[in-house]
């Protein structure tokens, strides 16, 4: 495992002048990990993005077949480096080997999924409105449109997914699939994992003769690096996963540019879980077991972690909480991702605990070790009036803690749903009768969440065609776009319409004969037929 700690600009190690050095830290023991990493200077950032723009001219013209082959090679190159990547990620994140192996499988599945998508080709959304020279009073022109890649994309990965939302995570893979070069801002908590994975990208680009400028990896442990990337005039869009504060700062910087660019930020949310009365009566123990598993998975460090639970004040809720307490009593404290997250978790918990009207219902019994940045698991309790009055309770507490809000009646339940902030998910546990009776709750949730989970739990996201991992602000910057799943590719393309363009000048996907054999919308009807 040879990590050099350098920035990688268009496939080359930067050996010249660099910015401030920093090191990764092993969260389990606080030890610094070799080597030193060097923050990218403005000159390095400038060259990386300039090279990206140059490469875009070539990459956007490559065939989907070539890009698909490249993505498959990329998966294979990452796979070749599995052992060293997972070992370094264990040291840098304290995520266990089995969790990282699962994440690794998802990471190498993604390039293969997107390779299949672009080979098949219909994703490009070809639309053809045929000309009508007989239309009165004006002839109707031929109008044809497809999606085209937008240009160099900056990717900011999250600390909690060092593989699947990092250097070769969904953002990078779907940008490549669409035909966009990528400039990755390495997360300062796992810079070595980033470098090892970046080498796989460089090797795959070389194998397919694609321009090296298609990819650069920039290191940095201060806001300066990220800010300079976002402000570069040749950048076309940003994909970000992380904190609301970081995401918002990047959105503001992108909007303040002379030429504003879109930022697709996924920033986490409260992910409320609603327990309806009949379901609680019938399944309180099972729900408690599932809830605890969801709350503590990955030490609660998931953007879909269930941060609040809402249920009618009842003996059944007490029964549920008793089962939950029994389970929490057996939880061992576990190390968090980095000291910043640990401090943030504890300071938000302190605010919750000191809020009048909030009490700790259960806290994991075994004493945690702050030197190992270990997190306690906590369930707090409050009533709906306190919840409404105390804004500080309605912030994400990234870690294994959740607040139970006891509500008195249906009006309070509906009021909760109607007034909640945008969320990635909302979960409902209900029987058939519950769901019929509480239809208005479901309707309220549709306007506030990106994914409604029935009789399940919000953690764990499938990568599919229907996946929508987003939600109204502050969960995401654009509720329409997803950061996970097949449709995440649509963040990095835009429609281009060709009016009265001669057939031979059109992209193949729009030509009369349909040489790619893709599904197209012709005069409003989906068909693979030629014209
Ligand atoms: P983060 O602090 O938002 O950092 C994510 C990336 O953005 C890093 O590369 C960071 O680099 C950069 N960045 C942050 N603020 C910036 C700014 N103002 N300007 C330019 N670049 C900036 O996220 P994190 O380290 O993963 O976790 C911290 C908190 O984020 C957690 O406590 C949790 O609340 C939340 N979180 C949410 C999710 C989610 O999935 N939504 C995932 C992880 C964490 P620098 O540090 O070098 O600036």
């Amino acid at each position: 495992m040879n990590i050099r700690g350098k920035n990688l600009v268009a496939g080359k190690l930067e050996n010249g002048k660099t910015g401030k050095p920093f090191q990764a830290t092993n969260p389990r023991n606080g030890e610094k990990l070799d080597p030193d990493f060097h923050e990218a200077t403005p000159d390095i950032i400038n060259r990386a993005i300039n090279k990206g723009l140059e490469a875009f001219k070539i990459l956007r013209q490559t065939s989907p077949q070539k890009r698909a082959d490249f993505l498959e090679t990329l998966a294979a190159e990452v796979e070749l480096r599995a052992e060293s990547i997972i070992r370094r990620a264990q040291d840098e994140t304290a995520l266990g080997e089995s969790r990282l192996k699962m994440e690794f499988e998802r990471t190498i599945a993604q390039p293969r999924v997107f390779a299949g998508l672009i080979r098949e080709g219909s994703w490009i959304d070809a639309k053809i409105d045929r000309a009508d020279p007989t239309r009165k009073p004006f002839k109707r022109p031929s109008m044809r449109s497809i999606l085209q890649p937008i240009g160099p994309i900056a990717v900011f990965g999250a600390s909690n997914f060092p593989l699947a939302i990092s250097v070769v995570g969904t953002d990078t893979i779907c940008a490549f699939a669409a035909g966009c070069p990528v400039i990755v801002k390495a997360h300062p908590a796992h810079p070595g994992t980033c470098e090892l994975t970046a080498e796989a990208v460089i090797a795959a680009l070389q194998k397919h003769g694609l321009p090296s400028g298609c990819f650069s990896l920039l290191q940095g442990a201060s806001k300066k690096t990220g800010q300079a990337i976002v402000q570069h005039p040749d950048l076309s869009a940003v994909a970000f996963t992380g904190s609301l504060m970081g995401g918002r700062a990047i959105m503001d910087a992108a909007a303040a540019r002379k030429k504003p660019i879109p930022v697709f930020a996924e920033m986490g949310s409260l992910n409320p879980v609603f327990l309806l009365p009949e379901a609680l009566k019938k399944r309180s123990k099972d729900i408690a077991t599932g809830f605890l598993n969801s709350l503590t998975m990955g030490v609660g460090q998931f953007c879909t972690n269930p941060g609040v639970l809402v249920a009618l004040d009842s003996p059944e809720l007490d029964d549920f909480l008793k089962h939950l307490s029994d389970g929490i009593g057996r939880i061992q404290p576990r190390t968090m991702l980095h000291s910043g997250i640990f401090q943030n978790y504890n300071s938000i918990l302190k605010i919750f605990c000191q809020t009048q009207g909030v009490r700790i219902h259960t806290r994991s019994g075994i004493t945690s070790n702050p030197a190992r940045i270990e997190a306690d698991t906590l369930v707090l309790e409050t009533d709906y009036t306190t919840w409404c009055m105390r804004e500080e309770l309605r912030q994400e507490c990234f870690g294994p803690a959740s607040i139970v809000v006891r509500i008195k009646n249906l009006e309070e339940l509906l009021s909760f749903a109607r007034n909640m902030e945008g969320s990635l998910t909302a979960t409902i546990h209900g029987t058939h009768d519950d769901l019929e009776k509480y239809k208005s709750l479901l309707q309220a949730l549709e306007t506030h969440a990106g994914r409604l989970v029935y009789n399940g739990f919000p953690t764990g996201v499938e990568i599919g065609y229907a996946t929508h991992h987003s939600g109204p602000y502050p969960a995401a910057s654009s509720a329409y776009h997803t950061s996970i799943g097949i449709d995440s590719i649509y963040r990095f393309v835009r429609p281009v319409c060709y009016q009265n363009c001669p057939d031979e000048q059109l992209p193949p996907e729009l030509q009369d004969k349909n040489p790619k054999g893709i599904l197209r919308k012709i005069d409003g009807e989906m068909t693979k037929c030629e014209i």
Side-chain angles (χ1 to χ4, degrees):
M1 179 161 61
N2 183 16
I3 301 173
R4 279 119 354 144
K6 309 273 186 201
N7 292 281
L8 287 159
V9 172
K12 290 206 181 76
L13 284 173
E14 281 294 320
N15 286 315
K17 187 175 174 298
T18 51
K20 225 169 129 185
F22 66 97
Q23 281 180 296
T25 305
N26 184 333
R28 286 196 179 87
N29 53 22
E31 273 173 20
K32 294 288 176 201
L33 297 165
D34 280 338
D36 276 356
F37 289 85
H38 296 271
E39 199 149 75
T41 58
D43 172 57
I44 292 175
I45 295 169
N46 189 33
R47 274 187 291 117
I49 302 178
N50 284 340
K51 293 273 182 193
L53 187 62
E54 261 172 46
F56 178 55
K57 292 174 193 144
I58 297 166
L59 188 64
R60 66 183 293 276
Q61 302 291 352
T62 53
S63 67
Q65 177 65 43
K66 186 166 174 101
R67 295 203 302 280
D69 292 347
F70 157 68
L71 288 174
E72 281 166 353
T73 303
L74 172 54
E77 289 290 333
V78 176
E79 218 165 3
L80 273 178
R81 295 162 173 80
E83 206 190 315
S84 56
I85 291 173
I86 292 175
R87 205 177 331 130
R88 179 73 185 195
Q90 273 180 273
D91 289 346
E92 290 184 331
T93 65
L95 294 171
E97 188 180 6
S98 57
R99 148 70 203 271
L100 284 167
K101 280 188 170 162
M102 270 191 310
E103 192 182 325
F104 189 85
E105 289 307 313
R106 171 176 152 188
T107 308
I108 55 171
Q110 289 185 144
R112 293 172 175 143
V113 168
F114 280 96
L117 181 81
I118 59 175
R119 256 198 205 110
E120 189 280 326
S122 304
W123 77 276
I124 206 156
D125 204 19
K127 293 176 191 153
I128 299 177
D129 298 336
R130 281 181 289 192
D132 181 1
T134 64
R135 194 183 71 172
K136 299 272 188 294
F138 305 109
K139 293 175 188 174
R140 185 166 99 148
S142 157
M143 305 277 280
R144 303 182 184 209
S145 72
I146 51 163
L147 301 174
Q148 296 275 13
I150 55 175
I153 310 295
V155 170
F156 289 70
S159 58
N160 57 342
F161 280 94
L163 312 174
I165 311 184
S166 191
V167 174
V168 290
T170 323
D171 297 330
T172 298
I173 297 306
C174 61
F176 283 154
C180 297
V182 172
I183 294 92
V184 172
K185 156 69 174 67
H187 197 289
H190 55 260
T193 311
C194 288
E195 188 187 306
L196 291 170
T197 323
E199 282 168 5
V201 184
I202 292 165
L205 285 170
Q206 276 169 357
K207 281 196 174 160
H208 289 273
L210 287 166
S212 56
C214 287
F215 176 80
S216 290
L217 176 75
L218 302 176
Q219 299 283 359
S222 76
K223 313 284 170 257
K224 264 192 340 215
T225 319
Q227 288 289 330
I229 294 171
V230 175
Q231 277 153 21
H232 196 283
D234 291 338
L235 198 67
S236 294
V238 179
F240 171 94
T241 308
S243 63
L244 174 59
M245 207 192 284
R248 183 60 204 241
I250 286 171
M251 284 165 68
D252 290 347
R257 288 164 46 118
K258 189 168 174 200
K259 189 166 72 174
I261 52 171
V263 173
F264 301 101
E266 190 266 276
M267 301 170 288
S269 57
L270 292 186
N271 305 299
V273 174
F274 296 84
L275 305 185
L276 299 181
E278 282 294 314
L280 198 52
K281 213 175 269 178
K282 291 191 170 145
R283 301 188 284 111
S284 69
K285 188 171 179 189
D286 286 350
I287 301 174
T289 307
F291 182 82
L292 182 61
N293 188 29
S294 183
L295 178 69
T296 55
M297 192 185 283
V299 203
Q301 300 164 120
F302 285 114
C303 47
T304 49
N305 199 53
V308 57
L309 184 141
V310 188
L312 277 169
D313 190 7
S314 61
E316 289 79 22
L317 177 58
D318 293 331
D319 195 38
F320 165 84
L321 287 170
K322 175 160 181 340
H323 292 309
L324 196 58
S325 300
D326 292 346
I328 288 177
R330 290 190 289 274
I331 299 274
Q332 302 277 348
R334 278 172 299 151
T335 300
M336 297 193 93
L337 285 161
H338 59 77
S339 60
I341 283 192
F342 173 77
Q343 278 156 19
N344 196 26
Y345 177 63
N346 284 309
S347 56
I348 295 176
L349 273 184
K350 197 167 164 198
I351 295 171
F352 287 176
C353 294
Q354 287 174 350
T355 302
Q356 207 179 358
V358 176
R359 74 176 186 95
I360 298 176
H361 185 279
T362 312
R363 178 170 212 144
S364 47
I366 304 129
T367 319
S368 55
N369 180 354
R372 289 166 56 100
I373 59 168
E374 288 175 342
D376 268 348
T377 300
L378 254 86
V379 171
L380 302 119
E381 219 188 298
T382 192
D383 56 75
Y384 184 58
T385 310
T386 308
W387 176 262
C388 292
M389 280 166 44
R390 306 307 296 256
E391 197 183 345
E392 64 270 31
L393 296 178
R394 304 194 297 270
Q395 61 181 315
E396 185 187 44
C397 181
F398 198 69
S402 192
I403 303 184
V404 174
V405 180
R406 282 184 187 262
I407 46 134
K408 289 200 210 92
N409 48 38
L410 176 60
E411 286 76 61
E412 281 195 357
L413 191 73
L414 281 179
S415 172
F416 185 104
R418 287 181 182 142
N419 292 302
M420 70 185 234
E421 297 235 55
S423 188
L424 294 171
T425 70
T427 299
I428 312 105
H429 280 269
T431 61
H432 174 81
D433 288 351
D434 278 331
L435 297 179
E436 279 299 314
K437 191 167 166 197
Y438 290 89
K439 248 195 172 108
S440 39
L441 167 68
L442 307 174
Q443 287 160 358
L445 294 177
E446 281 168 356
T447 63
H448 288 80
R451 177 164 58 105
L452 301 186
V453 182
Y454 290 82
N455 295 316
F457 296 94
T459 38
V461 184
E462 284 295 323
I463 304 166
Y465 288 91
T467 304
H468 193 65
H469 189 64
S470 184
Y473 186 87
S477 55
S478 163
Y480 183 77
H481 294 94
T482 180
S483 58
I484 296 180
I486 310 289
D487 280 2
S488 53
I489 194 170
Y490 293 113
R491 293 172 299 167
F492 306 136
V493 287
R494 65 181 177 85
V496 176
C497 177
Y498 303 81
Q499 185 168 331
N500 284 340
C501 177
D503 196 60
E504 65 283 4
Q505 298 300 324
L506 283 165
E509 290 85 351
L510 293 175
Q511 290 174 1
D512 283 353
K513 293 262 181 248
N514 193 12
K516 300 265 178 178
I518 61 169
L519 200 59
R520 313 187 290 183
K521 191 180 262 181
I522 302 183
D523 293 332
E525 273 181 37
M526 298 304 295
T527 172
K528 282 191 177 180
C529 291
E530 54 185 78
I531 292 173

